[in-house]
Amino acid sequence: MFTQEDTHAINTIRVLAADTVFKSNSGHPGAPMGCAPMAHLLFSHFMNYNPKNPTWANRDRFVLSNGHACALQYILLHLMGYPTTMDDLKNFRQLGSNTPGHPESHMTVGIEVTTGPLGQGFANAVGLAIGEAHMAATFNKPGFELFNNYTFMITGDGCLQEGVASEAASLAGHLQLGKLIALYDDNHITIDGDTEVSFTEDVVKRFEAYGWHVIVVKDGNNDLEAMAKAIEEAKKVTDKPTLIKIFTTIGFGSLMAGTEKVHGSPLKADDIVQLKKAMGFNPEEHFAVPQSTYDLYHAKAAKGAGINSEWDALVEKYSAQYPELASELKRRLANELPEDWAKALPRFTPADKAIATRKLSESVLNKVADILPELMIGSADLTGSNLTRWKTAVDFQPESSGVGNYAGRYLRYGVREHGMSAIMNGLDAYGGIIPAGATFLNFISYASGAVRLSALSGHRVIYIMTHDSIGLGEDGPTHQPIETMAMIRATPTLVDMRPADGNETSGAYLFAISAKDRPSVLALTRQDLPQLEGSSVEKTLFGGYVLQEIEGADVTLVGTGSEVSLCVDAAKLLKEQGIKARIVSMPSTTLFDEQSHEYRASVLIDGVPSVSVEAMTTFGWNRYAHESLGIDTFGASGPYKEVYRHFGLVPDVVAAKVQKIVAFYKGEGHVPSLVRKYFH
């Protein structure tokens, strides 16, 4: 089955990895050199892909979970004919290059997901496999197998030590994701040295306990036949994901092979010379690729292009036989939303009853979930608290479970917040799916690694975070988020949404669902909130707006979420004291910052002191307020109304403090502008 050309191609990858990392004087040559045989097998013999159409919907997906080995992936992309050029390899890890220090899906064509933080890619791959299973169950018909791709990943010792990978692996086994195949590069080395110092568990037994099929290959350096047979066997197991444990030598061919010294530092020049000599390359040549290696990979790419063309023809036949389904499929793959979907969003008036925003969120989901079949929503074991399961929902479960099927759109993530979030990144990356996942706001901290990658990669992931403040009451400070929103607001491109009532909740969903290339966090209350005079679905999209204006204002009260109605009540008390308070609702500081200078200046007007009120940390509010009322300690356990009073976040106490603030600034005779700043 294999020829000398395969061996030469593998060695080409090894010496290219050494050259690439050496030229940049930075990177990780060891894993690419050790993984070259398994990676070559995947891309030259097993995977279907088309470099001329990198986003072909039924392509096989590949994830390099140990993203530090990205020189391997860039080399493969170059060999296959993707836009990664030889100059890109020479510019590895250089500023502005298409070959950054870890794979970034938004930068490099052919990279499915951004990896680097270990374990994230593993969980992303689970999301990609869920995506395939769902799209296949939704759109495939007899004679029209539109979706049947595999998700392959290479993962390492480091990934398998991370909790996020464990969470995702456990769920993947439960869901019986038979088209998920993980190649485990077991080289027994981490940065600290041999894994004997910290990682001695039986990975085979662990994954078998998760419900995975496990195969062991003893010689990943040379035995192509054994690795190929393992992959073939894995493809035949349709009711379990497969882990292929492959023993390799890190830095194979280097003088430092098998040690941590070859993990994260370039090879020395003399080492590269001996490596090239041993592998049949001219040591005087750099970045050399034999034409036979290009021919081998280009032939595989051409075969993939042919399969892509056959798929396109199948879709056209499908369109004639199933026109409605085909139209739906094409719309979803084009990342377009149904026309006028937003008309289904609920709208409210002050006459409507007070409702918790988590309950208002449930109302939104019940209105739009059937209109937007691309929504796949789930919860980390808090469905009854997050209120995320709509009335017609069917669980995403294997048919054999008897409690759902793969066409189902409600995901039971279990108590796996981090795994849930990283899996959702994979779901978005698959295409045709908008993932949303829920837990308590405080527990987004468990998932922050994946949330950060949602933002970095531009994934449309919707984080539905309920029980958003001390308003959750008796569960106390272990569950009450204080610093959490500040962390969310500080994360680039991540959009904070803390709605104050029903209209703002609908507005938050309008933004989150429409935003094609950024994630959103919806922070929702446990306690009931009134429907506010002046709130608006559309105004929510500005991030902050004037809820109640008053001529000759003495102060601007800026609130978010549950504290907006608190500001309204405090303003009534201030009026009795002859103090005129205008009220600003600030559901999203991120979106507000993106508005024009003129708009922001019309909301946070000059000459009037601004006071922010939020039942969380005051950190960060100095950009929007001269003075801030909040909580800069941890919370407290008790009935939520008593807790609010304990922290002084009740109308009479707020009004009394604002009275003193107004008097202070009148005495100062000057109120600094919040908007007219050089850097703001």
Side-chain angles (χ1 to χ4, degrees):
M1 180 179 179
F2 300 104
T3 68
Q4 187 60 35
E5 294 303 333
D6 289 292
T7 302
H8 207 34
I10 291 166
N11 289 337
T12 298
I13 294 169
R14 286 169 169 155
V15 297
L16 261 182
D19 278 345
T20 298
V21 176
F22 182 83
K23 187 175 188 303
S24 72
N25 196 31
S26 175
H28 303 76
M33 295 167 70
C35 290
M38 67 176 83
H40 168 74
L41 272 180
L42 282 180
F43 285 95
S44 66
H45 290 272
F46 286 98
M47 287 185 60
N48 292 324
Y49 52 85
N50 182 9
K52 294 180 180 178
N53 183 17
T55 59
W56 166 36
N58 198 41
R59 67 192 181 280
D60 286 331
R61 306 310 203 265
F62 173 75
V63 175
L64 185 67
S65 186
N66 46 343
H68 57 271
C70 58
L72 172 68
Q73 197 164 10
Y74 298 145
I75 289 165
L76 289 164
L77 290 173
H78 171 70
L79 295 177
M80 289 184 285
Y82 284 84
T84 301
T85 66
M86 187 62 79
D87 283 341
D88 290 325
L89 297 182
K90 293 176 181 178
N91 285 319
F92 177 55
R93 286 188 162 220
Q94 303 308 299
L95 186 64
S97 77
N98 293 323
T99 48
H102 289 85
E104 298 182 39
S105 57
H106 58 290
M107 289 189 66
T108 310
V109 176
I111 301 293
E112 300 288 356
V113 290
T114 299
T115 61
L118 294 176
Q120 295 291 335
F122 192 111
N124 296 163
V126 174
L128 289 165
I130 292 172
E132 184 280 331
H134 177 68
M135 294 293 276
T138 302
F139 291 105
N140 287 3
K141 296 291 181 183
F144 294 96
E145 199 168 336
L146 299 185
F147 292 94
N148 59 6
N149 70 275
Y150 286 88
T151 297
F152 295 96
M153 76 168 118
I154 291 178
T155 188
D157 293 301
C159 293
L160 298 190
Q161 293 174 59
E162 291 285 359
V164 65
S166 300
E167 292 179 24
S170 173
L171 185 60
H174 165 76
L175 293 174
Q176 302 175 20
L177 299 174
K179 285 192 164 66
L180 174 62
I181 300 173
L183 279 63
Y184 167 27
D185 171 32
D186 186 8
N187 61 35
H188 271 264
I189 294 294
T190 60
I191 293 173
D192 274 1
D194 195 294
T195 53
E196 289 296 320
V197 302
S198 61
F199 188 54
T200 54
E201 68 187 41
D202 190 328
V203 173
V204 170
K205 289 181 179 178
R206 171 181 156 200
F207 271 76
E208 286 175 343
Y210 285 152
W212 287 56
H213 179 64
V214 182
I215 308 168
V216 176
V217 175
K218 294 182 179 180
D219 181 7
N221 299 322
N222 302 291
D223 197 343
L224 299 183
E225 293 285 353
M227 285 185 281
K229 288 178 181 178
I231 295 170
E232 291 287 6
E233 179 183 332
K235 293 177 73 173
K236 292 175 183 176
V237 178
T238 60
D239 61 347
K240 293 181 179 182
T242 295
L243 180 80
I244 305 175
K245 180 178 179 178
I246 305 173
F247 289 99
T248 66
T249 301
I250 189 171
F252 182 87
S254 166
L255 297 173
M256 298 183 293
T259 73
E260 72 276 9
K261 294 178 182 179
V262 78
H263 167 78
S265 300
L267 273 61
K268 303 296 184 184
D270 60 343
D271 196 356
I272 295 177
V273 169
Q274 70 81 29
L275 173 73
K276 290 181 177 179
K277 287 180 178 178
M279 294 190 172
F281 287 81
N282 183 349
E284 301 300 321
E285 292 182 352
H286 307 286
F287 294 92
V289 178
Q291 187 59 46
S292 60
T293 297
Y294 279 128
D295 291 345
L296 191 157
Y297 277 93
H298 291 173
K300 180 61 175 169
K303 184 178 179 181
I307 296 171
N308 188 168
S309 296
E310 293 171 4
W311 187 86
D312 290 340
L314 186 66
V315 171
E316 289 310 305
K317 292 179 181 177
Y318 181 86
S319 300
Q321 194 160 338
Y322 303 100
E324 290 186 9
L325 273 176
S327 177
E328 180 71 17
L329 172 62
K330 291 175 182 178
R331 177 188 67 76
R332 287 171 61 170
L333 293 180
N335 206 15
E336 300 295 337
L337 296 170
E339 190 175 352
D340 296 331
W341 73 271
K343 289 182 178 178
L345 291 168
R347 292 173 184 265
F348 300 84
T349 71
D352 293 315
K353 68 177 182 178
I355 309 174
T357 52
R358 64 170 177 152
K359 188 71 177 174
L360 292 162
S361 166
E362 181 185 40
S363 298
V364 171
L365 296 179
N366 272 304
K367 291 288 187 181
V368 305
D370 291 331
I371 298 171
L372 297 169
E374 54 263 60
L375 279 174
M376 287 193 78
I377 303 171
S379 170
D381 198 52
L382 287 169
T383 296
S385 295
N386 301 142
L387 304 179
T388 39
R389 196 174 191 274
W390 64 103
K391 293 176 182 176
T392 60
V394 174
D395 281 9
F396 178 90
Q397 298 278 1
E399 195 83 44
S400 60
S401 69
V403 293
N405 55 64
Y406 285 157
R409 297 191 288 127
Y410 193 77
L411 282 153
R412 306 280 185 169
Y413 285 105
V415 190
R416 304 182 181 99
E417 296 89 353
H418 200 178
M420 171 181 73
S421 302
I423 286 168
M424 289 195 293
N425 288 337
L427 280 169
D428 178 72
Y430 189 83
I433 294 167
I434 301 175
T439 184
F440 290 173
L441 177 61
N442 196 54
F443 300 142
I444 199 172
S445 300
Y446 273 137
S448 59
V451 175
R452 188 174 187 273
L453 288 181
S454 297
L456 175 63
S457 305
H459 289 305
R460 175 170 45 186
V461 174
I462 303 172
Y463 293 94
I464 302 171
M465 303 286 110
T466 69
H467 297 61
D468 72 337
S469 73
I470 58 170
L472 64 83
E474 291 84 351
D475 277 342
T478 60
H479 284 50
Q480 293 165 349
I482 299 295
E483 77 290 353
T484 314
M485 287 303 293
M487 178 186 73
I488 291 165
R489 290 166 178 154
T491 304
T493 78
L494 181 63
V495 178
D496 58 305
M497 282 288 188
R498 191 165 183 249
D501 70 352
N503 287 330
E504 289 193 3
T505 302
S506 289
Y509 273 103
L510 175 60
F511 175 83
I513 291 170
S514 300
K516 295 181 179 180
D517 58 359
R518 60 195 305 189
S520 303
V521 177
L522 277 59
L524 306 170
T525 67
R526 180 192 184 211
Q527 74 272 30
D528 290 341
L529 300 180
Q531 311 305 325
L532 299 169
E533 183 76 46
S535 71
S536 161
V537 173
E538 288 72 26
K539 288 179 182 177
T540 305
L541 304 182
F542 290 98
Y545 64 95
V546 180
L547 183 77
Q548 293 181 14
E549 189 61 274
I550 188 169
E551 190 174 346
D554 298 301
V555 67
T556 299
L557 301 182
V558 182
T560 76
S562 47
E563 286 69 69
V564 178
S565 54
L566 169 57
C567 289
V568 171
D569 291 340
K572 293 175 182 176
L573 296 179
L574 288 167
K575 184 178 180 181
E576 294 174 2
Q577 302 299 319
I579 296 175
K580 297 179 179 180
R582 59 198 297 273
I583 299 170
V584 168
S585 179
M586 188 78 74
S588 174
T589 60
T590 300
L591 293 184
F592 183 72
D593 288 344
E594 294 173 2
Q595 305 309 310
S596 69
H597 177 277
E598 290 74 20
Y599 177 79
R600 287 183 286 116
S602 74
V603 175
L604 301 176
I605 58 176
D606 286 349
V608 177
S610 174
V611 181
S612 68
V613 186
E614 186 174 49
M616 296 180 186
T617 180
T618 60
F619 182 83
W621 276 105
N622 60 322
R623 293 183 64 177
Y624 316 99
H626 300 94
E627 307 290 342
S628 297
L629 306 180
I631 306 171
D632 290 317
T633 66
F634 289 110
S637 177
Y640 83 90
K641 291 183 180 179
E642 294 178 21
V643 176
Y644 263 88
R645 179 159 290 280
H646 172 75
F647 286 105
L649 293 172
V650 288
D652 58 324
V653 177
V654 169
K657 290 180 179 179
V658 171
Q659 227 177 331
K660 294 177 181 178
I661 291 168
V662 171
F664 170 80
Y665 281 97
K666 283 185 177 178
E668 289 289 300
H670 172 67
V671 180
S673 175
L674 290 167
V675 177
R676 288 190 295 108
K677 297 178 181 178
Y678 185 73
F679 283 114
H680 188 34

